[in-house]
Amino acid sequence: MALLGQVPLTAFVRRSARHVSGSFPNTAIARSRWCSASVPAKAPLGYTDTHTWVQSSDDGHLIGISHFAQGMLGEVWSLDLPKVGAKFVQDEKVASIDGMQIPPEKANASDDESDAWEYDVPEEVLQRYQGRGWDVRMIQIRMLGNMHHIQREVFAPADCVILEVNNMRDRELVNTAAETEGWLLKVKFTEDLPELMSPSEYEKHCEMEMKLPLPEEE
């Protein structure tokens, strides 16, 4: 896969003050953003249980991450997307997205000369990321202190081939328009697409996923 749109940590530092500390999406916000993101001229969005949306287009289907997933990621700063022509089977990982989020109680930055190092993630944070495809780590960045580094994997809804990759110059589109201009891939499905969730069904799924218990330690 090609790593696209990675933002250096120094750039993230400059931009971090624009973002709300330690915030997580709630259903009221998610509902309003779903409504505002609708595009009447196109087919409606359907959602998978791994936070991907699918929308039919003239010559294929567009795929992206939901507003809910973007909110859980924080600020998206790196996309790892496949090449045009790549083929995938259902449920295979097709892309990954990295984000950063400021914890609710950010510790003071260290005087260590290293740029970043890892710490254990609090259980109350891990609780929100128990669904498939999430990876969250606590790292400390010298200029910012503790940060949540969050990765979201994107899975193929069905067997498909990549027709187009959204080579957007402004990665901020994933942060501000995840369900419209911030689409990730255009694909051609080579097998039938499973039934997708409606916005209301997906909203209920998100509520349930955030209540999943932590796995027991062996």
Side-chain angles (χ1 to χ4, degrees):
M1 294 187 184
L3 188 63
L4 303 175
Q6 187 170 16
V7 179
L9 285 178
T10 52
F12 178 81
V13 169
R14 292 195 297 269
R15 294 160 56 181
S16 63
R18 294 186 292 135
H19 300 277
V20 179
S21 300
S23 60
F24 291 93
N26 59 58
T27 53
I29 294 175
R31 188 183 301 111
S32 65
R33 295 187 71 181
W34 278 324
C35 294
S36 63
S38 62
V39 182
K42 295 183 179 180
L45 303 183
Y47 298 86
T48 72
D49 61 1
T50 53
H51 307 293
T52 299
W53 59 263
V54 180
Q55 183 183 57
S56 63
S57 63
D58 294 338
D59 55 351
H61 287 77
L62 297 179
I63 291 178
I65 62 166
S66 68
H67 285 310
F68 176 86
Q70 186 281 320
M72 294 287 281
L73 280 163
E75 178 172 350
V76 172
W77 64 280
S78 176
L79 303 174
D80 187 7
L81 303 178
K83 295 181 179 180
V84 172
K87 298 179 180 180
F88 297 91
V89 298
Q90 184 176 3
D91 289 332
E92 184 179 359
K93 174 184 169 182
V94 298
S96 63
I97 304 172
D98 290 274
M100 285 280 194
Q101 197 168 94
I102 302 173
E105 297 180 1
K106 181 172 71 67
N108 292 329
S110 169
D111 292 331
D112 192 285
E113 295 182 356
S114 301
D115 285 336
W117 58 100
E118 293 188 15
Y119 285 85
D120 291 337
V121 180
E123 286 191 1
E124 61 268 23
V125 175
L126 289 175
Q127 177 74 49
R128 298 180 169 98
Y129 295 92
Q130 290 307 295
R132 179 185 175 218
W134 288 111
D135 180 71
V136 55
R137 303 179 186 184
M138 179 80 83
I139 64 173
Q140 190 171 77
I141 300 175
R142 181 157 51 101
M143 298 179 67
L144 293 178
N146 289 345
M147 299 289 292
H148 294 155
H149 173 259
I150 303 160
Q151 185 176 83
R152 174 71 237 170
E153 293 182 332
V154 179
F155 302 102
D159 294 4
C160 63
V161 59
I162 306 300
L163 298 179
E164 185 178 346
V165 174
N166 189 356
N167 290 314
M168 58 194 113
R169 294 182 179 179
D170 185 4
R171 299 298 165 182
E172 186 68 14
L173 286 175
V174 181
N175 293 309
T176 60
E179 294 189 1
T180 51
E181 290 88 352
W183 60 273
L184 302 176
L185 307 168
K186 178 182 284 188
V187 305
K188 177 182 179 182
F189 290 116
T190 55
E191 296 289 341
D192 291 339
L193 184 65
E195 184 175 355
L196 301 172
M197 288 183 279
S198 66
S200 61
E201 292 170 333
Y202 176 64
E203 182 176 347
K204 292 178 181 178
H205 167 75
C206 293
E207 292 173 346
M208 293 178 60
E209 184 174 279
M210 292 187 73
K211 297 177 182 178
L212 291 174
L214 291 171
E216 295 183 3
E217 296 184 2
E218 298 181 358

